[in-house]
mmCIF file of all heavy atoms in Angstrom:
data_model
loop_
_atom_site.group_PDB
_atom_site.id
_atom_site.type_symbol
_atom_site.label_atom_id
_atom_site.label_comp_id
_atom_site.label_asym_id
_atom_site.label_seq_id
_atom_site.Cartn_x
_atom_site.Cartn_y
_atom_site.Cartn_z
ATOM 1 N N PRO A 460 4.169 1.150 7.445
ATOM 2 C CA PRO A 460 4.726 -0.065 8.006
ATOM 3 C C PRO A 460 5.780 -0.649 7.094
ATOM 4 O O PRO A 460 6.871 -1.131 7.667
ATOM 5 C CB PRO A 460 3.463 -0.944 8.137
ATOM 6 C CG PRO A 460 2.335 -0.103 8.368
ATOM 7 C CD PRO A 460 2.643 1.133 7.478
ATOM 8 N N GLY A 461 5.576 -0.741 5.799
ATOM 9 C CA GLY A 461 6.554 -1.313 4.922
ATOM 10 C C GLY A 461 7.880 -0.533 4.850
ATOM 11 O O GLY A 461 8.952 -1.148 4.880
ATOM 12 N N HIS A 462 7.738 0.756 4.757
ATOM 13 C CA HIS A 462 8.958 1.591 4.706
ATOM 14 C C HIS A 462 9.707 1.553 6.109
ATOM 15 O O HIS A 462 10.960 1.549 6.069
ATOM 16 C CB HIS A 462 8.613 3.008 4.295
ATOM 17 C CG HIS A 462 7.998 3.105 2.953
ATOM 18 N ND1 HIS A 462 6.614 3.140 2.753
ATOM 19 C CD2 HIS A 462 8.480 3.227 1.754
ATOM 20 C CE1 HIS A 462 6.380 3.193 1.512
ATOM 21 N NE2 HIS A 462 7.402 3.321 0.766
ATOM 22 N N ARG A 463 8.885 1.590 7.111
ATOM 23 C CA ARG A 463 9.457 1.510 8.439
ATOM 24 C C ARG A 463 10.261 0.193 8.645
ATOM 25 O O ARG A 463 11.388 0.309 9.298
ATOM 26 C CB ARG A 463 8.350 1.715 9.460
ATOM 27 C CG ARG A 463 8.766 1.593 10.935
ATOM 28 C CD ARG A 463 7.583 1.489 11.878
ATOM 29 N NE ARG A 463 7.988 1.450 13.212
ATOM 30 C CZ ARG A 463 8.099 2.456 14.052
ATOM 31 N NH1 ARG A 463 7.804 3.699 13.607
ATOM 32 N NH2 ARG A 463 8.420 2.336 15.326
ATOM 33 N N ALA A 464 9.719 -0.801 8.114
ATOM 34 C CA ALA A 464 10.470 -2.081 8.257
ATOM 35 C C ALA A 464 11.785 -2.118 7.595
ATOM 36 O O ALA A 464 12.834 -2.634 8.192
ATOM 37 C CB ALA A 464 9.577 -3.199 7.662
ATOM 38 N N ASN A 465 11.921 -1.459 6.464
ATOM 39 C CA ASN A 465 13.316 -1.371 5.885
ATOM 40 C C ASN A 465 14.145 -0.493 6.704
ATOM 41 O O ASN A 465 15.378 -0.845 6.920
ATOM 42 C CB ASN A 465 13.122 -0.696 4.442
ATOM 43 C CG ASN A 465 12.934 -1.747 3.402
ATOM 44 O OD1 ASN A 465 13.142 -2.906 3.523
ATOM 45 N ND2 ASN A 465 12.441 -1.254 2.269
ATOM 46 N N ILE A 466 13.749 0.690 7.252
ATOM 47 C CA ILE A 466 14.616 1.494 8.017
ATOM 48 C C ILE A 466 15.072 0.815 9.270
ATOM 49 O O ILE A 466 16.199 0.917 9.685
ATOM 50 C CB ILE A 466 13.812 2.861 8.373
ATOM 51 C CG1 ILE A 466 13.655 3.675 7.071
ATOM 52 C CG2 ILE A 466 14.529 3.627 9.480
ATOM 53 C CD1 ILE A 466 12.790 4.944 7.289
ATOM 54 N N LEU A 467 14.226 -0.024 9.824
ATOM 55 C CA LEU A 467 14.524 -0.624 11.118
ATOM 56 C C LEU A 467 14.968 -2.158 10.944
ATOM 57 O O LEU A 467 14.944 -2.852 11.947
ATOM 58 C CB LEU A 467 13.336 -0.546 12.064
ATOM 59 C CG LEU A 467 12.907 0.877 12.468
ATOM 60 C CD1 LEU A 467 11.751 0.884 13.408
ATOM 61 C CD2 LEU A 467 14.156 1.698 12.954
ATOM 62 N N LYS A 468 15.312 -2.547 9.800
ATOM 63 C CA LYS A 468 15.734 -3.908 9.598
ATOM 64 C C LYS A 468 17.132 -4.120 10.110
ATOM 65 O O LYS A 468 18.083 -3.505 9.696
ATOM 66 C CB LYS A 468 15.699 -4.264 8.089
ATOM 67 C CG LYS A 468 16.036 -5.690 7.809
ATOM 68 C CD LYS A 468 15.755 -6.034 6.297
ATOM 69 C CE LYS A 468 15.987 -7.507 6.063
ATOM 70 N NZ LYS A 468 15.631 -7.875 4.638
ATOM 71 N N PRO A 469 17.246 -4.956 11.142
ATOM 72 C CA PRO A 469 18.582 -5.210 11.797
ATOM 73 C C PRO A 469 19.630 -5.690 10.828
ATOM 74 O O PRO A 469 20.785 -5.337 11.047
ATOM 75 C CB PRO A 469 18.322 -6.261 12.855
ATOM 76 C CG PRO A 469 16.790 -6.179 13.146
ATOM 77 C CD PRO A 469 16.177 -5.882 11.802
ATOM 78 N N ALA A 470 19.299 -6.407 9.792
ATOM 79 C CA ALA A 470 20.317 -6.949 8.887
ATOM 80 C C ALA A 470 20.954 -5.879 7.994
ATOM 81 O O ALA A 470 22.108 -6.119 7.620
ATOM 82 C CB ALA A 470 19.773 -8.063 8.018
ATOM 83 N N PHE A 471 20.317 -4.818 7.787
ATOM 84 C CA PHE A 471 20.941 -3.795 6.930
ATOM 85 C C PHE A 471 22.059 -3.094 7.625
ATOM 86 O O PHE A 471 22.003 -2.730 8.827
ATOM 87 C CB PHE A 471 19.902 -2.750 6.430
ATOM 88 C CG PHE A 471 18.958 -3.269 5.415
ATOM 89 C CD1 PHE A 471 17.631 -2.958 5.447
ATOM 90 C CD2 PHE A 471 19.366 -4.160 4.378
ATOM 91 C CE1 PHE A 471 16.723 -3.382 4.453
ATOM 92 C CE2 PHE A 471 18.545 -4.588 3.414
ATOM 93 C CZ PHE A 471 17.196 -4.290 3.399
ATOM 94 N N THR A 472 23.135 -2.825 6.889
ATOM 95 C CA THR A 472 24.336 -2.183 7.427
ATOM 96 C C THR A 472 24.737 -0.971 6.627
ATOM 97 O O THR A 472 25.487 -0.132 7.258
ATOM 98 C CB THR A 472 25.576 -3.155 7.364
ATOM 99 O OG1 THR A 472 25.690 -3.573 5.996
ATOM 100 C CG2 THR A 472 25.296 -4.387 8.292
ATOM 101 N N HIS A 473 24.300 -0.718 5.451
ATOM 102 C CA HIS A 473 24.725 0.428 4.556
ATOM 103 C C HIS A 473 23.485 1.095 3.925
ATOM 104 O O HIS A 473 22.390 0.467 3.811
ATOM 105 C CB HIS A 473 25.718 -0.041 3.541
ATOM 106 C CG HIS A 473 27.039 -0.462 4.108
ATOM 107 N ND1 HIS A 473 27.202 -1.662 4.784
ATOM 108 C CD2 HIS A 473 28.234 0.156 4.094
ATOM 109 C CE1 HIS A 473 28.486 -1.778 5.158
ATOM 110 N NE2 HIS A 473 29.052 -0.629 4.853
ATOM 111 N N ILE A 474 23.730 2.326 3.498
ATOM 112 C CA ILE A 474 22.618 3.078 2.922
ATOM 113 C C ILE A 474 23.152 4.017 1.860
ATOM 114 O O ILE A 474 24.258 4.531 1.967
ATOM 115 C CB ILE A 474 21.813 3.920 4.053
ATOM 116 C CG1 ILE A 474 20.575 4.503 3.465
ATOM 117 C CG2 ILE A 474 22.665 4.889 4.683
ATOM 118 C CD1 ILE A 474 19.764 5.240 4.526
ATOM 119 N N GLY A 475 22.272 4.292 0.870
ATOM 120 C CA GLY A 475 22.561 5.407 -0.066
ATOM 121 C C GLY A 475 21.257 6.161 -0.315
ATOM 122 O O GLY A 475 20.176 5.578 -0.253
#
Side-chain angles (χ1 to χ4, degrees):
H462 299 92
R463 179 188 179 94
N465 271 342
I466 288 174
L467 301 182
K468 186 171 182 176
F471 285 142
T472 56
H473 291 76
I474 187 174

